[in-house]
Amino acid sequence: MNTQAIGLFDSGVGGLSIWQAVKQVLPNEHTIYLADNLNAPYGEKSKDEIIALSEKNSEFLLNRNVKLIIVACNSASTNAIPHLRQKYKIPFIRIQPAIKPAGLQSKTKVIGLLATKATLQSTMLEELKQIIPTQDVEIVGKYGKGLVEIVENVAMEQPETYSLLNQYLQPMLAKNIDQLVLGCTHYPFLIPQMQQILGDKVRIIDPALPIARQAKRILTEFDLLAPANQKANHIFYANKSIKALQVILQQYPDSVIQMHDF
Ligand code: DGL
């Protein structure tokens, strides 16, 4: 089983922010990445719709014999993880908004959370707020409407991007945030633009590396790590368009990108 791939899925290219960290932390692992861009954005869908899509995506990956699945999407993780873990036998790694580390490190005791509607409305976010020591921390949540589409169109440098980001981030700055949690895996692709607006007093928290390290811990625990001499291969599937995958993955020439119906 150790030579089997790690599976990842997202509604599009957002999960590549996680995939890049996985490649860095686990360089010998084969990966299979699924971009369900036919059904993007997930953040606008109901919990039941997200569960059904997450099931379909997981089965696509399981049919390709993956040994572990990283749900590289906050909207799917916060809404579908309990269901997936109950239904399938392999380990699932979830992404959750990093409000705990942000709360612990905040000096102003005000943190920003930019996320999709589905994540902001999820019961998991509510539970997360209850169990972490952030009682004395104010969370300023904003729905980043339109940002997923910008990243899917690889249009990060357009003026519209800055006007949307200003619309979401200025109210957070006015409340004196010093940490910004990115609650959607698409948003790390906008960090340079966000940092220009936020300046250097606000730290942006991208959960990619901790997630990749968590995947490594789980693979180690289950004795599933790839052999140290394995040369990794990386396959990417999309069901509507492979354009954004091609643009973002051009710096990784060992990637194989394919259109696939599923
Ligand atoms: N990248 C996903 C997330 O982290 C999905 C965004 C979307 O499709 O709305 O939530």
Side-chain angles (χ1 to χ4, degrees):
M1 231 185 143
N2 300 54
T3 56
Q4 290 169 216
I6 294 176
L8 301 97
F9 74 82
D10 182 35
S11 64
V13 290
L16 293 181
S17 60
I18 307 294
W19 174 82
Q20 286 170 334
V22 169
K23 188 168 158 61
Q24 187 185 328
V25 172
L26 293 159
N28 305 310
E29 298 290 341
H30 299 317
T31 63
I32 302 177
Y33 183 100
L34 176 56
D36 182 19
N37 46 22
L38 186 66
N39 294 301
Y42 278 16
E44 305 282 326
K45 299 203 179 319
S46 70
K47 184 181 174 89
D48 286 349
E49 287 172 316
I50 293 175
I51 289 176
L53 292 169
S54 300
E55 227 179 73
K56 203 162 137 222
N57 296 341
S58 300
E59 281 169 21
F60 176 90
L61 292 168
L62 286 165
N63 287 339
R64 279 153 190 80
N65 271 328
V66 297
K67 59 186 175 186
L68 170 139
I69 292 179
I70 301 177
V71 181
C73 169
N74 285 267
S75 308
S77 283
T78 51
N79 285 282
I81 270 285
H83 180 86
L84 298 174
R85 284 187 175 152
Q86 200 183 2
K87 180 150 187 180
Y88 305 108
K89 286 202 189 78
I90 63 161
F92 279 80
I93 306 284
R94 71 170 177 191
I95 318 266
Q96 59 186 21
I99 54 180
K100 181 176 177 178
L104 289 172
Q105 282 169 41
S106 176
K107 301 247 177 332
T108 61
K109 299 289 176 206
V110 191
I111 65 173
L113 169 61
L114 192 59
T116 65
K117 191 155 75 179
T119 292
L120 288 174
Q121 289 175 349
S122 66
T123 46
M124 185 171 290
L125 183 63
E126 273 318 303
E127 285 162 20
L128 200 60
K129 285 185 191 165
Q130 303 303 320
I131 55 170
I132 61 170
T134 52
Q135 288 88 342
D136 58 339
V137 173
E138 184 187 350
I139 302 172
V140 187
K142 282 264 171 240
Y143 164 33
K145 188 172 172 55
L147 298 179
V148 166
E149 290 82 348
I150 286 173
V151 176
E152 285 298 316
N153 293 322
V154 206
M156 284 73 118
E157 271 305 322
Q158 283 186 2
E160 191 212 350
T161 308
Y162 287 91
S163 76
L164 270 186
L165 287 175
N166 266 308
Q167 194 182 316
Y168 304 142
L169 300 179
Q170 292 299 348
M172 296 188 187
L173 283 175
K175 290 223 166 192
N176 205 20
I177 63 159
D178 64 351
Q179 315 279 322
L180 174 65
V181 176
L182 300 183
C184 170
T185 53
H186 280 75
Y187 299 169
F189 290 105
L190 293 162
I191 287 177
Q193 292 76 13
M194 291 185 192
Q195 204 75 68
Q196 276 184 50
I197 294 170
L198 295 170
D200 56 9
K201 291 205 177 63
V202 178
R203 194 173 74 108
I204 300 178
I205 304 183
D206 169 8
L209 273 173
I211 296 295
R213 291 193 192 110
Q214 170 69 357
K216 186 174 181 178
R217 269 193 296 277
I218 297 294
L219 289 177
T220 309
E221 189 183 314
F222 286 82
D223 201 14
L224 285 173
L225 280 173
N229 59 354
Q230 177 165 284
K231 191 181 169 319
N233 57 51
H234 305 289
I235 308 176
F236 299 83
Y237 294 101
N239 51 2
K240 185 174 176 207
S241 161
I242 56 170
K243 200 169 147 257
L245 284 170
Q246 280 174 327
V247 176
I248 294 176
L249 290 169
Q250 59 194 353
Q251 53 181 314
Y252 301 103
D254 55 343
S255 309
V256 178
I257 307 170
Q258 289 176 13
M259 271 300 283
H260 208 281
D261 289 335
F262 55 87

Short mmCIF file of all heavy atoms in Angstrom, two decimals, residues 168-227:
data_model
loop_
_atom_site.label_atom_id
_atom_site.label_comp_id
_atom_site.label_asym_id
_atom_site.label_seq_id
_atom_site.Cartn_x
_atom_site.Cartn_y
_atom_site.Cartn_z
N TYR A 168 -13.37 43.75 1.33
CA TYR A 168 -13.42 42.75 2.42
C TYR A 168 -12.42 43.06 3.54
O TYR A 168 -12.70 42.78 4.71
CB TYR A 168 -13.13 41.35 1.87
CG TYR A 168 -14.06 40.93 0.75
CD1 TYR A 168 -13.60 40.19 -0.34
CD2 TYR A 168 -15.40 41.30 0.77
CE1 TYR A 168 -14.45 39.84 -1.36
CE2 TYR A 168 -16.26 40.94 -0.25
CZ TYR A 168 -15.78 40.22 -1.32
OH TYR A 168 -16.62 39.87 -2.34
N LEU A 169 -11.27 43.62 3.17
CA LEU A 169 -10.20 43.75 4.18
C LEU A 169 -10.22 45.08 4.93
O LEU A 169 -9.80 45.12 6.09
CB LEU A 169 -8.83 43.53 3.52
CG LEU A 169 -8.63 42.15 2.85
CD1 LEU A 169 -7.25 42.06 2.21
CD2 LEU A 169 -8.80 41.01 3.86
N GLN A 170 -10.69 46.14 4.27
CA GLN A 170 -10.68 47.44 4.98
C GLN A 170 -11.51 47.42 6.27
O GLN A 170 -11.04 47.92 7.30
CB GLN A 170 -11.13 48.59 4.05
CG GLN A 170 -10.17 48.93 2.91
CD GLN A 170 -8.79 49.39 3.38
OE1 GLN A 170 -8.56 49.68 4.56
NE2 GLN A 170 -7.84 49.43 2.47
N PRO A 171 -12.71 46.82 6.25
CA PRO A 171 -13.47 46.76 7.52
C PRO A 171 -12.72 45.99 8.61
O PRO A 171 -12.86 46.28 9.80
CB PRO A 171 -14.76 46.04 7.14
CG PRO A 171 -14.87 46.18 5.66
CD PRO A 171 -13.48 46.26 5.14
N MET A 172 -11.92 45.01 8.20
CA MET A 172 -11.13 44.25 9.19
C MET A 172 -10.02 45.15 9.76
O MET A 172 -9.77 45.15 10.97
CB MET A 172 -10.50 43.01 8.55
CG MET A 172 -11.50 41.99 8.06
SD MET A 172 -10.61 40.51 7.57
CE MET A 172 -11.93 39.54 6.86
N LEU A 173 -9.38 45.90 8.86
CA LEU A 173 -8.33 46.81 9.32
C LEU A 173 -8.92 47.85 10.28
O LEU A 173 -8.31 48.20 11.29
CB LEU A 173 -7.68 47.53 8.13
CG LEU A 173 -6.67 46.71 7.32
CD1 LEU A 173 -6.21 47.50 6.10
CD2 LEU A 173 -5.46 46.30 8.18
N ALA A 174 -10.11 48.31 9.95
CA ALA A 174 -10.77 49.32 10.80
C ALA A 174 -11.02 48.76 12.20
O ALA A 174 -11.09 49.50 13.18
CB ALA A 174 -12.07 49.76 10.15
N LYS A 175 -11.16 47.43 12.29
CA LYS A 175 -11.37 46.80 13.60
C LYS A 175 -10.06 46.41 14.27
O LYS A 175 -10.05 45.74 15.31
CB LYS A 175 -12.26 45.56 13.44
CG LYS A 175 -13.68 45.89 13.08
CD LYS A 175 -14.60 45.03 13.90
CE LYS A 175 -16.02 45.56 13.84
NZ LYS A 175 -16.86 44.92 14.83
N ASN A 176 -8.94 46.72 13.61
CA ASN A 176 -7.62 46.52 14.20
C ASN A 176 -7.18 45.06 14.27
O ASN A 176 -6.56 44.63 15.26
CB ASN A 176 -7.60 47.17 15.60
CG ASN A 176 -6.19 47.54 16.02
OD1 ASN A 176 -5.30 47.66 15.17
ND2 ASN A 176 -5.96 47.68 17.32
N ILE A 177 -7.48 44.28 13.23
CA ILE A 177 -6.97 42.89 13.22
C ILE A 177 -5.45 42.91 13.09
O ILE A 177 -4.88 43.82 12.48
CB ILE A 177 -7.57 42.05 12.06
CG1 ILE A 177 -7.16 42.61 10.67
CG2 ILE A 177 -9.06 41.92 12.17
CD1 ILE A 177 -7.27 41.59 9.57
N ASP A 178 -4.80 41.88 13.68
CA ASP A 178 -3.36 41.73 13.43
C ASP A 178 -3.04 40.34 12.85
O ASP A 178 -1.88 40.02 12.60
CB ASP A 178 -2.52 42.03 14.69
CG ASP A 178 -2.79 41.05 15.82
OD1 ASP A 178 -3.74 40.24 15.71
OD2 ASP A 178 -2.05 41.09 16.82
N GLN A 179 -4.08 39.52 12.64
CA GLN A 179 -3.92 38.20 12.02
C GLN A 179 -5.07 38.04 11.02
O GLN A 179 -6.21 38.38 11.36
CB GLN A 179 -4.06 37.05 13.05
CG GLN A 179 -3.32 37.24 14.34
CD GLN A 179 -1.85 36.89 14.23
OE1 GLN A 179 -1.47 35.95 13.54
NE2 GLN A 179 -1.01 37.67 14.89
N LEU A 180 -4.77 37.49 9.86
CA LEU A 180 -5.85 37.17 8.92
C LEU A 180 -5.78 35.68 8.61
O LEU A 180 -4.79 35.18 8.09
CB LEU A 180 -5.70 37.98 7.62
CG LEU A 180 -6.72 37.60 6.53
CD1 LEU A 180 -8.15 37.92 6.95
CD2 LEU A 180 -6.39 38.29 5.21
N VAL A 181 -6.87 34.98 8.93
CA VAL A 181 -6.95 33.54 8.66
C VAL A 181 -7.59 33.36 7.28
O VAL A 181 -8.66 33.93 7.02
CB VAL A 181 -7.82 32.85 9.73
CG1 VAL A 181 -8.00 31.37 9.40
CG2 VAL A 181 -7.22 33.04 11.12
N LEU A 182 -6.94 32.57 6.43
CA LEU A 182 -7.52 32.30 5.12
C LEU A 182 -8.34 31.02 5.21
O LEU A 182 -7.79 29.93 5.36
CB LEU A 182 -6.40 32.16 4.08
CG LEU A 182 -5.52 33.40 3.91
CD1 LEU A 182 -4.50 33.19 2.80
CD2 LEU A 182 -6.36 34.65 3.64
N GLY A 183 -9.64 31.17 5.13
CA GLY A 183 -10.54 30.01 5.29
C GLY A 183 -11.02 29.45 3.97
O GLY A 183 -12.14 28.96 3.88
N CYS A 184 -10.19 29.52 2.96
CA CYS A 184 -10.51 28.94 1.65
C CYS A 184 -9.17 28.68 0.97
O CYS A 184 -8.31 29.57 0.95
CB CYS A 184 -11.35 29.90 0.82
SG CYS A 184 -11.55 29.38 -0.91
N THR A 185 -9.00 27.48 0.41
CA THR A 185 -7.68 27.14 -0.15
C THR A 185 -7.36 27.90 -1.43
O THR A 185 -6.22 27.88 -1.89
CB THR A 185 -7.57 25.62 -0.39
OG1 THR A 185 -8.69 25.19 -1.20
CG2 THR A 185 -7.55 24.86 0.91
N HIS A 186 -8.36 28.57 -2.01
CA HIS A 186 -8.05 29.42 -3.18
C HIS A 186 -7.32 30.71 -2.77
O HIS A 186 -6.57 31.27 -3.55
CB HIS A 186 -9.34 29.82 -3.90
CG HIS A 186 -9.90 28.77 -4.81
ND1 HIS A 186 -10.56 27.65 -4.35
CD2 HIS A 186 -9.89 28.68 -6.17
CE1 HIS A 186 -10.94 26.92 -5.38
NE2 HIS A 186 -10.55 27.51 -6.50
N TYR A 187 -7.59 31.18 -1.55
CA TYR A 187 -7.13 32.52 -1.18
C TYR A 187 -5.61 32.68 -1.06
O TYR A 187 -5.11 33.79 -1.29
CB TYR A 187 -7.80 32.98 0.12
CG TYR A 187 -9.32 33.08 0.07
CD1 TYR A 187 -10.07 33.26 1.23
CD2 TYR A 187 -10.02 32.99 -1.13
CE1 TYR A 187 -11.46 33.34 1.20
CE2 TYR A 187 -11.41 33.06 -1.17
CZ TYR A 187 -12.13 33.23 0.00
OH TYR A 187 -13.49 33.31 -0.03
N PRO A 188 -4.82 31.64 -0.71
CA PRO A 188 -3.36 31.85 -0.67
C PRO A 188 -2.78 32.36 -1.99
O PRO A 188 -1.74 33.00 -1.99
CB PRO A 188 -2.82 30.45 -0.32
CG PRO A 188 -3.92 29.83 0.47
CD PRO A 188 -5.19 30.33 -0.18
N PHE A 189 -3.48 32.10 -3.10
CA PHE A 189 -2.98 32.61 -4.38
C PHE A 189 -3.15 34.13 -4.48
O PHE A 189 -2.67 34.75 -5.43
CB PHE A 189 -3.68 31.92 -5.55
CG PHE A 189 -3.26 30.47 -5.68
CD1 PHE A 189 -4.10 29.44 -5.29
CD2 PHE A 189 -1.99 30.14 -6.13
CE1 PHE A 189 -3.70 28.11 -5.37
CE2 PHE A 189 -1.57 28.82 -6.23
CZ PHE A 189 -2.43 27.79 -5.84
N LEU A 190 -3.84 34.72 -3.50
CA LEU A 190 -4.01 36.19 -3.48
C LEU A 190 -3.21 36.84 -2.35
O LEU A 190 -3.40 38.03 -2.07
CB LEU A 190 -5.51 36.51 -3.29
CG LEU A 190 -6.41 36.11 -4.48
CD1 LEU A 190 -7.86 36.05 -4.06
CD2 LEU A 190 -6.23 37.11 -5.61
N ILE A 191 -2.32 36.09 -1.72
CA ILE A 191 -1.56 36.66 -0.58
C ILE A 191 -0.77 37.91 -0.98
O ILE A 191 -0.80 38.91 -0.26
CB ILE A 191 -0.65 35.59 0.08
CG1 ILE A 191 -1.52 34.61 0.87
CG2 ILE A 191 0.40 36.24 1.00
CD1 ILE A 191 -0.77 33.46 1.52
N PRO A 192 -0.06 37.94 -2.12
CA PRO A 192 0.71 39.17 -2.44
C PRO A 192 -0.21 40.40 -2.53
O PRO A 192 0.13 41.47 -2.03
CB PRO A 192 1.35 38.86 -3.80
CG PRO A 192 1.35 37.37 -3.90
CD PRO A 192 0.16 36.89 -3.13
N GLN A 193 -1.38 40.23 -3.15
CA GLN A 193 -2.32 41.35 -3.29
C GLN A 193 -2.89 41.73 -1.91
O GLN A 193 -3.04 42.92 -1.61
CB GLN A 193 -3.47 40.96 -4.23
CG GLN A 193 -3.07 40.76 -5.69
CD GLN A 193 -2.35 39.45 -5.98
OE1 GLN A 193 -2.31 38.53 -5.17
NE2 GLN A 193 -1.75 39.36 -7.15
N MET A 194 -3.20 40.74 -1.09
CA MET A 194 -3.75 41.04 0.25
C MET A 194 -2.72 41.76 1.10
O MET A 194 -3.03 42.71 1.81
CB MET A 194 -4.13 39.74 0.96
CG MET A 194 -5.31 39.03 0.37
SD MET A 194 -5.70 37.62 1.41
CE MET A 194 -6.82 36.75 0.35
N GLN A 195 -1.48 41.29 1.01
CA GLN A 195 -0.43 41.89 1.86
C GLN A 195 -0.21 43.36 1.49
O GLN A 195 0.06 44.18 2.37
CB GLN A 195 0.87 41.08 1.74
CG GLN A 195 1.79 41.22 2.93
CD GLN A 195 1.31 40.45 4.19
OE1 GLN A 195 1.31 39.23 4.20
NE2 GLN A 195 0.91 41.16 5.23
N GLN A 196 -0.38 43.67 0.21
CA GLN A 196 -0.26 45.09 -0.20
C GLN A 196 -1.30 45.95 0.50
O GLN A 196 -1.03 47.09 0.87
CB GLN A 196 -0.48 45.22 -1.70
CG GLN A 196 0.77 44.93 -2.52
CD GLN A 196 0.48 45.18 -3.99
OE1 GLN A 196 -0.04 46.22 -4.36
NE2 GLN A 196 0.82 44.20 -4.83
N ILE A 197 -2.48 45.41 0.68
CA ILE A 197 -3.56 46.18 1.32
C ILE A 197 -3.38 46.20 2.84
O ILE A 197 -3.57 47.23 3.50
CB ILE A 197 -4.94 45.56 0.95
CG1 ILE A 197 -5.18 45.75 -0.55
CG2 ILE A 197 -6.07 46.17 1.77
CD1 ILE A 197 -6.37 44.99 -1.09
N LEU A 198 -2.95 45.06 3.39
CA LEU A 198 -2.89 44.93 4.85
C LEU A 198 -1.63 45.54 5.45
O LEU A 198 -1.60 45.87 6.65
CB LEU A 198 -2.97 43.45 5.26
CG LEU A 198 -4.28 42.75 4.92
CD1 LEU A 198 -4.13 41.25 5.15
CD2 LEU A 198 -5.43 43.29 5.77
N GLY A 199 -0.58 45.66 4.64
CA GLY A 199 0.69 46.16 5.19
C GLY A 199 1.36 45.07 6.01
O GLY A 199 0.89 43.93 6.08
N ASP A 200 2.47 45.44 6.68
CA ASP A 200 3.23 44.39 7.36
C ASP A 200 2.82 44.18 8.82
O ASP A 200 3.41 43.37 9.53
CB ASP A 200 4.75 44.65 7.23
CG ASP A 200 5.12 46.02 7.76
OD1 ASP A 200 4.23 46.66 8.36
OD2 ASP A 200 6.27 46.43 7.57
N LYS A 201 1.78 44.86 9.27
CA LYS A 201 1.37 44.66 10.68
C LYS A 201 0.37 43.51 10.82
O LYS A 201 0.07 43.08 11.93
CB LYS A 201 0.76 45.95 11.23
CG LYS A 201 1.80 47.05 11.40
CD LYS A 201 1.38 48.06 12.46
CE LYS A 201 2.46 49.10 12.68
NZ LYS A 201 2.70 49.91 11.46
N VAL A 202 -0.15 43.04 9.68
CA VAL A 202 -1.11 41.94 9.75
C VAL A 202 -0.46 40.68 9.18
O VAL A 202 0.06 40.69 8.06
CB VAL A 202 -2.41 42.25 8.96
CG1 VAL A 202 -3.37 41.07 9.02
CG2 VAL A 202 -3.07 43.51 9.51
N ARG A 203 -0.49 39.60 9.97
CA ARG A 203 0.09 38.34 9.51
C ARG A 203 -1.02 37.52 8.84
O ARG A 203 -2.11 37.36 9.40
CB ARG A 203 0.64 37.58 10.72
CG ARG A 203 1.55 36.43 10.35
CD ARG A 203 2.17 35.86 11.61
NE ARG A 203 1.19 35.09 12.36
CZ ARG A 203 1.20 33.75 12.46
NH1 ARG A 203 2.14 33.06 11.87
NH2 ARG A 203 0.27 33.14 13.15
N ILE A 204 -0.70 37.01 7.65
CA ILE A 204 -1.69 36.18 6.93
C ILE A 204 -1.37 34.71 7.20
O ILE A 204 -0.23 34.28 7.02
CB ILE A 204 -1.65 36.47 5.42
CG1 ILE A 204 -1.96 37.95 5.16
CG2 ILE A 204 -2.63 35.57 4.68
CD1 ILE A 204 -1.90 38.36 3.69
N ILE A 205 -2.38 33.97 7.63
CA ILE A 205 -2.13 32.57 8.00
C ILE A 205 -2.65 31.62 6.93
O ILE A 205 -3.85 31.50 6.69
CB ILE A 205 -2.76 32.23 9.36
CG1 ILE A 205 -2.22 33.22 10.40
CG2 ILE A 205 -2.45 30.79 9.76
CD1 ILE A 205 -2.71 32.98 11.78
N ASP A 206 -1.70 30.95 6.28
CA ASP A 206 -2.02 29.95 5.25
C ASP A 206 -1.76 28.58 5.89
O ASP A 206 -0.66 28.32 6.36
CB ASP A 206 -1.07 30.21 4.06
CG ASP A 206 -1.09 29.10 3.03
OD1 ASP A 206 -1.94 28.20 3.14
OD2 ASP A 206 -0.25 29.14 2.11
N PRO A 207 -2.77 27.71 5.93
CA PRO A 207 -2.61 26.45 6.67
C PRO A 207 -1.87 25.35 5.91
O PRO A 207 -1.75 24.23 6.41
CB PRO A 207 -4.06 26.02 6.91
CG PRO A 207 -4.78 26.53 5.72
CD PRO A 207 -4.09 27.81 5.30
N ALA A 208 -1.34 25.64 4.72
CA ALA A 208 -0.86 24.55 3.86
C ALA A 208 0.22 23.68 4.51
O ALA A 208 0.12 22.45 4.51
CB ALA A 208 -0.36 25.13 2.54
N LEU A 209 1.26 24.31 5.08
CA LEU A 209 2.36 23.49 5.62
C LEU A 209 1.92 22.64 6.81
O LEU A 209 2.22 21.44 6.85
CB LEU A 209 3.56 24.35 5.97
CG LEU A 209 4.53 24.61 4.81
CD1 LEU A 209 5.60 25.62 5.21
CD2 LEU A 209 5.18 23.33 4.30
N PRO A 210 1.19 23.22 7.79
CA PRO A 210 0.71 22.34 8.88
C PRO A 210 -0.15 21.18 8.38
O PRO A 210 -0.07 20.06 8.92
CB PRO A 210 -0.13 23.30 9.75
CG PRO A 210 0.40 24.66 9.47
CD PRO A 210 0.91 24.64 8.05
N ILE A 211 -0.93 21.39 7.32
CA ILE A 211 -1.76 20.30 6.78
C ILE A 211 -0.86 19.20 6.20
O ILE A 211 -1.07 18.00 6.42
CB ILE A 211 -2.72 20.82 5.68
CG1 ILE A 211 -3.71 21.83 6.27
CG2 ILE A 211 -3.44 19.68 4.96
CD1 ILE A 211 -4.68 21.29 7.26
N ALA A 212 0.16 19.62 5.45
CA ALA A 212 1.06 18.64 4.84
C ALA A 212 1.80 17.85 5.93
O ALA A 212 1.99 16.64 5.82
CB ALA A 212 2.05 19.35 3.92
N ARG A 213 2.17 18.56 7.01
CA ARG A 213 2.87 17.86 8.11
C ARG A 213 1.91 16.89 8.81
O ARG A 213 2.32 15.81 9.24
CB ARG A 213 3.42 18.88 9.11
CG ARG A 213 4.57 19.67 8.51
CD ARG A 213 5.33 20.47 9.56
NE ARG A 213 6.20 21.41 8.89
CZ ARG A 213 6.03 22.73 8.88
NH1 ARG A 213 5.03 23.29 9.55
NH2 ARG A 213 6.86 23.52 8.22
N GLN A 214 0.66 17.27 8.91
CA GLN A 214 -0.33 16.38 9.51
C GLN A 214 -0.49 15.12 8.64
O GLN A 214 -0.55 14.00 9.16
CB GLN A 214 -1.68 17.14 9.64
CG GLN A 214 -2.88 16.30 10.02
CD GLN A 214 -2.79 15.78 11.46
OE1 GLN A 214 -1.81 16.00 12.15
NE2 GLN A 214 -3.81 15.06 11.88
N ALA A 215 -0.49 15.30 7.32
CA ALA A 215 -0.58 14.14 6.42
C ALA A 215 0.63 13.22 6.64
O ALA A 215 0.50 11.99 6.70
CB ALA A 215 -0.64 14.61 4.97
N LYS A 216 1.80 13.82 6.83
CA LYS A 216 3.01 13.01 7.06
C LYS A 216 2.90 12.23 8.37
O LYS A 216 3.24 11.05 8.44
CB LYS A 216 4.24 13.92 7.08
CG LYS A 216 5.53 13.14 7.17
CD LYS A 216 6.73 14.03 7.04
CE LYS A 216 7.99 13.19 7.12
NZ LYS A 216 9.19 13.99 6.95
N ARG A 217 2.39 12.91 9.41
CA ARG A 217 2.22 12.22 10.71
C ARG A 217 1.28 11.03 10.58
O ARG A 217 1.55 9.95 11.09
CB ARG A 217 1.63 13.19 11.75
CG ARG A 217 2.67 13.95 12.56
CD ARG A 217 2.05 14.62 13.77
NE ARG A 217 1.08 15.64 13.42
CZ ARG A 217 1.39 16.90 13.09
NH1 ARG A 217 2.64 17.30 13.09
NH2 ARG A 217 0.46 17.76 12.77
N ILE A 218 0.17 11.23 9.86
CA ILE A 218 -0.81 10.14 9.73
C ILE A 218 -0.23 8.99 8.91
O ILE A 218 -0.37 7.81 9.26
CB ILE A 218 -2.13 10.66 9.09
CG1 ILE A 218 -2.78 11.72 9.99
CG2 ILE A 218 -3.11 9.54 8.80
CD1 ILE A 218 -3.29 11.22 11.33
N LEU A 219 0.47 9.30 7.83
CA LEU A 219 1.08 8.24 7.02
C LEU A 219 2.11 7.47 7.84
O LEU A 219 2.22 6.25 7.75
CB LEU A 219 1.75 8.83 5.77
CG LEU A 219 0.82 9.36 4.68
CD1 LEU A 219 1.62 9.98 3.54
CD2 LEU A 219 -0.07 8.24 4.13
N THR A 220 2.86 8.19 8.67
CA THR A 220 3.87 7.55 9.52
C THR A 220 3.17 6.63 10.53
O THR A 220 3.55 5.47 10.70
CB THR A 220 4.71 8.62 10.26
OG1 THR A 220 5.18 9.56 9.30
CG2 THR A 220 5.89 8.00 11.00
N GLU A 221 2.12 7.16 11.15
CA GLU A 221 1.40 6.40 12.17
C GLU A 221 0.82 5.11 11.60
O GLU A 221 0.85 4.06 12.23
CB GLU A 221 0.26 7.29 12.70
CG GLU A 221 -0.46 6.75 13.90
CD GLU A 221 -1.62 7.68 14.29
OE1 GLU A 221 -1.40 8.92 14.33
OE2 GLU A 221 -2.72 7.19 14.51
N PHE A 222 0.29 5.16 10.36
CA PHE A 222 -0.31 3.97 9.75
C PHE A 222 0.71 3.16 8.94
O PHE A 222 0.35 2.25 8.23
CB PHE A 222 -1.48 4.38 8.84
CG PHE A 222 -2.72 4.80 9.58
CD1 PHE A 222 -2.84 6.07 10.10
CD2 PHE A 222 -3.76 3.90 9.79
CE1 PHE A 222 -3.98 6.46 10.79
CE2 PHE A 222 -4.91 4.27 10.49
CZ PHE A 222 -5.02 5.56 10.99
N ASP A 223 1.97 3.53 9.05
CA ASP A 223 3.04 2.86 8.33
C ASP A 223 2.77 2.85 6.81
O ASP A 223 2.90 1.82 6.14
CB ASP A 223 3.21 1.43 8.86
CG ASP A 223 4.58 0.88 8.53
OD1 ASP A 223 5.46 1.68 8.13
OD2 ASP A 223 4.77 -0.35 8.61
N LEU A 224 2.40 4.01 6.29
CA LEU A 224 2.00 4.11 4.88
C LEU A 224 2.92 5.01 4.05
O LEU A 224 2.62 5.29 2.89
CB LEU A 224 0.57 4.69 4.79
CG LEU A 224 -0.58 3.75 5.16
CD1 LEU A 224 -1.90 4.51 5.18
CD2 LEU A 224 -0.66 2.59 4.18
N LEU A 225 4.03 5.46 4.65
CA LEU A 225 4.91 6.36 3.89
C LEU A 225 5.48 5.66 2.66
O LEU A 225 5.78 4.45 2.69
CB LEU A 225 6.07 6.82 4.77
CG LEU A 225 5.81 7.95 5.76
CD1 LEU A 225 7.04 8.15 6.64
CD2 LEU A 225 5.47 9.26 5.04
N ALA A 226 5.65 6.40 1.58
CA ALA A 226 6.25 5.85 0.36
C ALA A 226 7.71 5.49 0.61
O ALA A 226 8.36 6.11 1.46
CB ALA A 226 6.16 6.89 -0.75
N PRO A 227 8.23 4.51 -0.14
CA PRO A 227 9.65 4.18 0.01
C PRO A 227 10.51 5.42 -0.29
O PRO A 227 10.16 6.22 -1.17
CB PRO A 227 9.88 3.11 -1.06
CG PRO A 227 8.53 2.62 -1.44
CD PRO A 227 7.54 3.69 -1.13
#
